[in-house]
Amino acid sequence: MERKILLPEEELPEAWFNLIPRLPEPPAPPLDPRTGKPINPEDLRRIFPQALIEQEMSPKPWIEIPEEVRKVYRLWRPTPLRRALALEEELKTPARIYYKDESVSPPGSHKPNTAVAQAYYNKVEGIRRLATETGAGQWGSALSFACRLFGLECTVYMVRVSYQQKPYRRTLMHLWGAEVYPSPSERTEAGRRILSQNPETPGSLGIAISEAVEDAATHEDTNYALGSVLNHVLLHQTVIGLETQRQLSLVGEKPDVLIACVGGGSNFGGFTFPFIGEILEGRLSAEVLAVEPASCPTLTKGVYTYDYGDTAGLTPLLLMHTLGHTFEPPGIHAGGLRYHGDAPLVCQLVKAGVVKPRAYPQTACFEAAVLFARTEGIVPAPETSHAIRAAIDEALKARETGEEKVIVFNFSGHGHFDLSAYDAYLEGQLEDYEYPEEKIREALERLPKFPTGI
Amino acid sequence: MERKILLPEEELPEAWFNLIPRLPEPPAPPLDPRTGKPINPEDLRRIFPQALIEQEMSPKPWIEIPEEVRKVYRLWRPTPLRRALALEEELKTPARIYYKDESVSPPGSHKPNTAVAQAYYNKVEGIRRLATETGAGQWGSALSFACRLFGLECTVYMVRVSYQQKPYRRTLMHLWGAEVYPSPSERTEAGRRILSQNPETPGSLGIAISEAVEDAATHEDTNYALGSVLNHVLLHQTVIGLETQRQLSLVGEKPDVLIACVGGGSNFGGFTFPFIGEILEGRLSAEVLAVEPASCPTLTKGVYTYDYGDTAGLTPLLLMHTLGHTFEPPGIHAGGLRYHGDAPLVCQLVKAGVVKPRAYPQTACFEAAVLFARTEGIVPAPETSHAIRAAIDEALKARETGEEKVIVFNFSGHGHFDLSAYDAYLEGQLEDYEYPEEKIREALERLPKFPTGI
C-alpha cells in the first residue's frame, strides 16, 4: 500500500476554485465604517493591487493562475497526499486517514500559495514594497520568500509574543531579505498608541494588521498583503483542495470527514472549498470540521456580526464570527490561530451549518502532535496539531463504531521552528488557558455600534 | 521544464549497491590495535549485530533491502531530484544543475537511510537499546526517529558545542523519545578522563564515539550505532545514488560533475558510489568532488594512514586520511563535518584519484547557502552548503568556458535547526578559522606507532 499519492507537475491546477458564485446566498459585502454602506472598491486601491480587488468579489467560477505564479508553485507543488498508515496502526482504527502535506514548501506551510500570487500581482502593478503582519511567523516568512523571488521589498510586523518566542522565524525572514519589527512598534501611530496604553502587551494579529495597513496606506510605493481572512487569499489556497480531490480520486476514495485548523481561515478554506462546492451541488456527503483553540474560540463562542478586521479600526467592517476586535487572546503557542475574527466565507458556511466548528485546549493538541511525530515522523506546527487532534478523535470514534471512514485533513505546516513549544510540553510546563469569558464580554461591548449585524 | 523529477514508491530500490567487490583493490582491513593484525569479526559482536558485521565486508555486489526497512523508507522515499532552474538563471550559467533532495526525510537529512536499517537489524537480533554519538544532531535525531519506529531505546552523546549551539535538535531527539547527554559526559570513563584533562573542551565526534562505544560495550542489551565512516553505513546510503541514476536517466542526462560534502563520508558515499561503479567500469566519465571545511581538512591536508576512529582509542584502526585521532577541530557551524578521519572507502578512492577533494572556509559556504535560499527557496544545512559552494563554482566555471555541463550534487539536509548560524552570518559575526597547522602536527605525532600505514 502506498504511503504517498504524488502528482506530476503537469497536474498542477491551472485555475483557482472560486466558491463565491456557488454559494446559495451571496456573501455580505464589507462595509465602510464611516457610512455603514458597502465599501467602494476604489477605496481599497490605496493598499491593494487592482487584480486582487477584482478577485475579492469575482463572480467567475474559476480564476486562471498566471504562468509566472505556477512556475514558482512548481518549486514544491503539487504537494504529496499522504496515507497515515503508521498512525492508523497505532490507533487500531478501521478508518483510513489521509493528510495533505503543505509543510513541504520552502517556508514550511501553505502560506506561500497566496504569498506568491500576491507578490506577483503587486509586482506587475508596479509596487516596490509590501507591508504585512505575522503571528507565528508562517505568513511573514512566506511573504518574505515570495517577495524575494519577485524582487520586492518586504516589511513584516510580527506579533511581539511570537517575535520573542520564535526568534528563528525572524532569522528565516531576514534570510529571505525582509525587515522585521516586533508589533506593536514605534513605527506607526497605531503601534505607538497601543504601546502608550499598555507597554507590556504581548501584541495580537489585530494590532499588527493595524500597523501594516497604516504603513501601506501612508507610503505611495507600498501595498499591504494579508495572509488570511479575505476572499482572494482563500481563493489562492484552493490549489490545496483541488490537488487533494485529484489525489483521492487516483486511489478511488471519497472523504467522509474533512478537517483543517482555523486561525483566519486560509488553510481551512483552501483545503475544503473545492469539496464544499461538491457538497453544495449534492455530489458529496461529508462532515467538514473547523478546529480552533479553546483559548481563542472565535467560531465556537464568538458573535456573528460586523466587526473590524484589525484592532485599531482601520479596515472595513466584515461580517464574521468575532470575539471583538479589541480581544487580546492569551499567548498560546499556536500563534497562527490567535485572531479575534475569521474569514467571512468560512463564517458564512458555519452559520449555514455546512461547516462544524470545534475547539480544543493546547495540551490535547500537543499530545496529538507528539503521537503523530512518533508514528508518521513529521513534526507538526502547533496550529496543525489542532487538525490532528480532531482527526485522531474521529479515528477513535470510528474504532468504537467500526466504521471504515475516510478521514482527510490538511497538514498545514511543520513545527521545525516551534520546538521551544514542544520543549515546554515535554517538560510538563505547558498550560491550558481558561476561556476568558469576561475578557470576551468586554471586547464585545466595544464592537462597532452600527450596523448591528444581519 | 520540470523542476522536480519524482519516482513512484514502486521504484524505491530493492537492494543496496555494494562498491567493495567492484573496487580494483580490496579495501584494507581494519586492524586490531593490540596485535596489528586484521580484526576478528567476532570481536565486533560486543557492539554490532551480526547482519551489519557481515555487510561490512560483504563480497556481494547487491544486498537486499529488507521489506520492513523499505516500508519505513516509503514515509519519505524516493526523494525528489530537483533541477535548480532559479539558481542557474541567477548564475547565468549554461550548466544544468540538479540536486538530490535528502532534506525531505522527517529528521531533515539523509541520515535515516542508515538509521532505519541499523535499528531494524538490531531489533531483529534482540537488542533493547542503541547508543550513539552525534555532532550537529542530524545523526542523533535520525537514530532517535528510527529507534522510535522499531520500539528501541536510544541514548545519544552529543558533541558539547553542538549541544549548546543547537538546542532544538536536542528537543527533536526528545520528541522522538531518546535520552541525550552533552559529550564529554560524566557517564563514561572516556568522558570523565577527557573532562579531567580539559573541562572546557568543546567536545568532538571522536570523543563522543568513545563514550557511545564504551556505553554499548559495557551493557549486554545495548549495541552501538555509527552514523558514518563504516562500509555498511555507506552501503545503506546508496539508495540516494541509485535513485539519482534512475531520475537522471528519466530526463536523459549523464552527469559531468558529481558533488557532495564530506564529514565522515556517508552522504558522499551514498550519493556517488553507484556512479563510481559506472566510472570504474568505464561506462561514465565524470568528475567526483568531495567537499570539506578548510578548518577540518581531512582529505586535503590529512595523512593517509592507520588511525583510530575515536579519540580514546577504543575502536579498531582504520586506513584513512586523518588529522590524528586527538585532533579537536574548531567549533565551526557545520558540526557534521568536524571529524578527524573519513570513511576508508572514500579515502581509498581519493588515494586512487577517482575522487577529488576540495576544502572551503565556512563564510564562503554560507554565502552560497544564502544565494541558494534566495533562489531555490530551501534553506540548506551548513554541511550541505559546502556542496552548494562547489556546485556554484563549477557552474561559474562553465559560464566562463561556455560548457553545458551537467552538475549534480547531493542536498544532504535542510538548515531549519541551524538558523542561529545563519543569524551569525547575516550579522557579519561569522569568522573563518585559520587552518591550525601546528595543532594537526601535534595530533599526527600522537598517531598509533604501528602499523605505519601502507
Side-chain angles (χ1 to χ4, degrees):
Chain A
M1 203 163 332
E2 299 213 331
R3 286 180 179 275
K4 301 181 286 296
I5 301 133
L6 303 176
L7 293 177
E9 286 181 25
E10 65 256 31
E11 295 219 34
L12 183 69
E14 291 176 9
W16 291 301
F17 175 91
N18 191 9
L19 187 66
I20 295 175
R22 308 168 204 248
L23 287 169
E25 309 270 330
L31 302 182
D32 185 328
R34 294 162 302 185
T35 63
K37 300 244 166 71
I39 47 159
N40 179 348
E42 271 311 298
D43 292 350
L44 299 173
R45 290 304 307 271
R46 264 192 326 166
I47 59 169
F48 289 118
Q50 184 59 32
L52 295 180
I53 296 169
E54 282 168 18
Q55 289 177 5
E56 190 62 19
M57 278 299 177
S58 172
K60 291 189 205 162
W62 295 93
I63 292 174
E64 199 191 340
I65 307 175
E67 194 43 44
E68 292 85 342
V69 172
R70 294 181 81 236
K71 186 177 156 195
V72 176
Y73 277 177
R74 289 190 291 112
L75 277 172
W76 72 96
R77 301 208 73 88
T79 62
L81 180 70
R82 300 188 193 272
R83 172 86 184 268
L85 286 171
L87 180 63
E88 290 171 19
E89 214 169 288
E90 174 78 19
L91 298 175
K92 300 182 179 60
T93 177
R96 297 191 290 284
I97 307 175
Y98 294 88
Y99 56 105
K100 179 66 168 167
D101 188 1
E102 290 295 304
S103 79
V104 300
S105 74
S109 78
H110 66 291
K111 292 290 188 189
N113 296 330
T114 184
V116 168
Q118 292 190 49
Y120 166 75
Y121 288 118
N122 276 287
K123 177 71 179 182
V124 165
E125 296 188 26
I127 287 298
R128 194 184 61 79
R129 180 171 71 100
L130 288 180
T132 198
E133 74 291 332
T134 197
Q138 297 271 26
W139 168 243
S141 51
L143 193 69
S144 306
F145 161 74
C147 282
R148 185 76 206 184
L149 295 184
F150 288 105
L152 293 172
E153 291 180 22
C154 186
T155 303
V156 182
Y157 295 88
M158 185 172 186
V159 175
R160 192 203 263 179
V161 60
S162 293
Y163 187 91
Q164 291 160 344
Q165 276 177 4
K166 316 207 165 179
Y168 293 140
R169 284 221 216 258
R170 203 195 322 159
T171 306
L172 204 53
M173 295 183 246
H174 287 153
L175 181 48
W176 283 317
E179 48 176 17
V180 188
Y181 302 98
S183 168
S185 78
E186 295 284 349
R187 288 173 53 89
T188 65
E189 213 176 295
R192 289 188 293 272
R193 194 167 55 238
I194 288 158
L195 280 175
S196 73
Q197 287 161 4
N198 180 7
E200 299 307 316
T201 175
S204 72
L205 265 185
I207 295 171
I209 293 173
S210 297
E211 292 202 85
V213 168
E214 182 185 324
D215 184 338
T218 53
H219 294 90
E220 188 62 37
D221 62 355
T222 301
N223 263 350
Y224 169 67
L226 188 66
S228 194
V229 178
L230 297 181
N231 301 347
H232 70 267
V233 179
L234 276 60
L235 173 79
H236 301 153
Q237 294 292 356
T238 58
V239 286
I240 304 173
L242 292 168
E243 288 178 9
T244 308
Q245 282 181 320
R246 175 81 184 120
Q247 287 162 314
L248 286 174
S249 79
L250 283 178
V251 287
E253 295 276 32
K254 280 265 180 193
D256 295 304
V257 190
L258 293 153
I259 302 169
C261 64
V262 181
S266 81
N267 98 79
F268 177 84
F271 174 63
T272 63
F273 283 4
F275 292 101
I276 288 175
E278 291 186 66
I279 292 172
L280 292 174
E281 287 170 16
R283 291 186 289 119
L284 176 69
S285 165
E287 263 196 299
V288 187
L289 300 180
V291 191
E292 62 184 12
S295 56
C296 189
T298 322
L299 293 173
T300 49
K301 307 263 187 176
V303 177
Y304 188 59
T305 186
Y306 269 103
D307 194 5
Y308 292 107
D310 70 325
T311 299
L314 299 178
T315 72
L317 298 170
L318 302 172
L319 182 59
M320 60 184 178
H321 290 80
T322 177
L323 298 168
H325 63 282
T326 57
F327 176 77
E328 283 186 25
I332 58 162
H333 283 284
L337 306 184
R338 297 172 72 248
Y339 182 58
H340 69 273
D342 265 318
L345 287 179
V346 173
C347 295
Q348 183 174 347
L349 292 164
V350 168
K351 188 74 183 166
V354 179
V355 168
K356 290 185 194 151
R358 185 184 290 183
Y360 284 112
Q362 70 175 350
T363 53
C365 296
F366 273 99
E367 184 194 29
V370 169
L371 182 67
F372 188 86
R374 290 180 176 180
T375 49
E376 293 295 308
I378 317 177
V379 180
E383 291 80 2
T384 310
S385 74
H386 290 72
I388 298 171
R389 175 77 266 171
I392 289 176
D393 283 0
E394 292 301 307
L396 292 175
K397 215 188 288 173
R399 183 172 73 184
E400 276 172 39
T401 63
E403 286 172 285
E404 287 192 19
K405 286 208 167 173
V406 176
I407 299 167
V408 190
F409 72 91
N410 192 37
F411 192 90
S412 54
H414 64 61
H416 297 172
F417 307 113
D418 304 284
L419 289 181
S420 59
Y422 279 96
D423 229 5
Y425 172 74
L426 293 170
E427 302 285 332
Q429 288 163 1
L430 217 59
E431 281 174 18
D432 286 332
Y433 294 89
E434 280 291 299
Y435 166 59
E437 195 118 18
E438 197 180 296
K439 225 175 136 196
I440 292 176
R441 208 165 33 235
E442 276 171 35
L444 288 177
E445 277 163 19
R446 290 195 292 271
L447 275 178
K449 287 292 168 277
F450 75 90
T452 52
I454 288 164
Chain B
M1 202 163 333
E2 299 213 331
R3 286 180 179 274
K4 302 180 287 294
I5 301 134
L6 303 176
L7 292 178
E9 286 180 25
E10 66 256 31
E11 295 220 33
L12 183 68
E14 291 175 9
W16 292 300
F17 175 92
N18 191 10
L19 187 66
I20 294 174
R22 309 167 202 249
L23 288 168
E25 309 270 331
L31 302 183
D32 186 326
R34 294 163 302 184
T35 63
K37 301 245 166 69
I39 46 159
N40 179 348
E42 271 310 299
D43 292 349
L44 300 173
R45 289 303 308 270
R46 262 193 327 165
I47 59 168
F48 289 118
Q50 185 59 30
L52 296 179
I53 296 170
E54 282 168 18
Q55 288 178 6
E56 190 61 20
M57 279 300 179
S58 172
K60 292 188 205 163
W62 295 93
I63 291 174
E64 198 191 340
I65 307 175
E67 194 44 45
E68 292 84 343
V69 171
R70 294 181 81 234
K71 186 177 157 197
V72 176
Y73 276 176
R74 290 190 289 113
L75 278 172
W76 74 96
R77 301 208 74 87
T79 62
L81 180 71
R82 301 186 192 272
R83 172 84 185 268
L85 285 171
L87 180 63
E88 289 171 19
E89 215 169 286
E90 174 78 19
L91 297 175
K92 297 183 180 62
T93 177
R96 296 191 290 286
I97 308 175
Y98 295 88
Y99 56 105
K100 179 67 168 166
D101 188 1
E102 290 294 305
S103 78
V104 300
S105 74
S109 79
H110 66 291
K111 291 291 187 188
N113 295 331
T114 185
V116 168
Q118 292 190 48
Y120 166 75
Y121 288 116
N122 276 288
K123 177 74 180 181
V124 165
E125 295 189 25
I127 287 298
R128 193 185 61 80
R129 180 171 70 102
L130 289 180
T132 197
E133 72 291 332
T134 196
Q138 298 271 25
W139 168 242
S141 49
L143 194 68
S144 306
F145 160 75
C147 282
R148 184 77 206 183
L149 295 184
F150 288 105
L152 293 172
E153 290 180 25
C154 185
T155 303
V156 182
Y157 296 88
M158 184 172 187
V159 176
R160 190 202 262 179
V161 59
S162 294
Y163 187 91
Q164 289 159 345
Q165 277 176 5
K166 316 207 166 181
Y168 293 140
R169 283 219 218 261
R170 204 195 320 158
T171 306
L172 204 53
M173 294 183 248
H174 287 154
L175 182 47
W176 284 316
E179 48 176 15
V180 188
Y181 301 98
S183 166
S185 78
E186 295 285 351
R187 289 173 52 88
T188 64
E189 210 175 299
R192 288 189 293 271
R193 193 167 56 238
I194 288 159
L195 279 176
S196 73
Q197 287 160 5
N198 179 6
E200 299 306 315
T201 174
S204 72
L205 266 183
I207 295 171
I209 293 173
S210 297
E211 290 202 86
V213 168
E214 182 185 324
D215 184 339
T218 53
H219 294 90
E220 187 63 37
D221 61 355
T222 301
N223 263 350
Y224 169 67
L226 187 67
S228 194
V229 179
L230 297 182
N231 301 348
H232 70 267
V233 179
L234 277 60
L235 173 79
H236 301 154
Q237 293 293 355
T238 58
V239 285
I240 305 173
L242 292 169
E243 288 178 8
T244 308
Q245 283 181 320
R246 174 81 184 121
Q247 287 162 314
L248 285 173
S249 80
L250 284 178
V251 288
E253 295 276 32
K254 279 265 181 195
D256 295 304
V257 190
L258 292 154
I259 303 169
C261 64
V262 181
S266 81
N267 98 80
F268 177 85
F271 173 64
T272 62
F273 283 4
F275 292 100
I276 288 175
E278 291 185 63
I279 292 172
L280 292 175
E281 287 169 15
R283 291 185 288 122
L284 175 70
S285 164
E287 262 196 301
V288 186
L289 301 180
V291 191
E292 62 183 13
S295 55
C296 188
T298 322
L299 293 173
T300 49
K301 307 262 187 178
V303 178
Y304 188 61
T305 186
Y306 269 100
D307 194 6
Y308 291 106
D310 70 326
T311 299
L314 300 178
T315 72
L317 298 170
L318 302 172
L319 181 59
M320 59 183 178
H321 290 81
T322 177
L323 298 167
H325 63 282
T326 57
F327 176 76
E328 283 186 27
I332 58 163
H333 283 284
L337 306 183
R338 297 172 73 248
Y339 183 59
H340 69 273
D342 265 318
L345 286 179
V346 173
C347 295
Q348 183 176 347
L349 291 164
V350 168
K351 189 74 183 167
V354 179
V355 168
K356 290 185 194 152
R358 184 185 290 183
Y360 284 112
Q362 70 174 351
T363 55
C365 296
F366 273 99
E367 184 193 30
V370 170
L371 182 68
F372 188 86
R374 290 181 176 180
T375 49
E376 293 295 310
I378 318 178
V379 180
E383 291 81 2
T384 310
S385 74
H386 290 71
I388 298 172
R389 175 77 266 169
I392 288 176
D393 283 1
E394 291 301 305
L396 292 174
K397 216 188 288 171
R399 183 171 73 184
E400 276 172 38
T401 62
E403 285 173 286
E404 290 192 18
K405 285 209 170 174
V406 175
I407 300 167
V408 190
F409 71 90
N410 193 36
F411 191 91
S412 54
H414 64 61
H416 296 174
F417 307 113
D418 304 283
L419 288 179
S420 59
Y422 279 96
D423 228 6
Y425 172 75
L426 293 170
E427 302 285 332
Q429 288 163 0
L430 216 59
E431 281 173 19
D432 286 332
Y433 295 88
E434 280 291 301
Y435 165 60
E437 196 118 18
E438 199 179 294
K439 225 175 133 198
I440 292 175
R441 207 164 35 234
E442 276 171 35
L444 288 176
E445 278 164 19
R446 290 195 290 270
L447 275 177
K449 289 291 170 276
F450 75 90
T452 52
I454 290 165

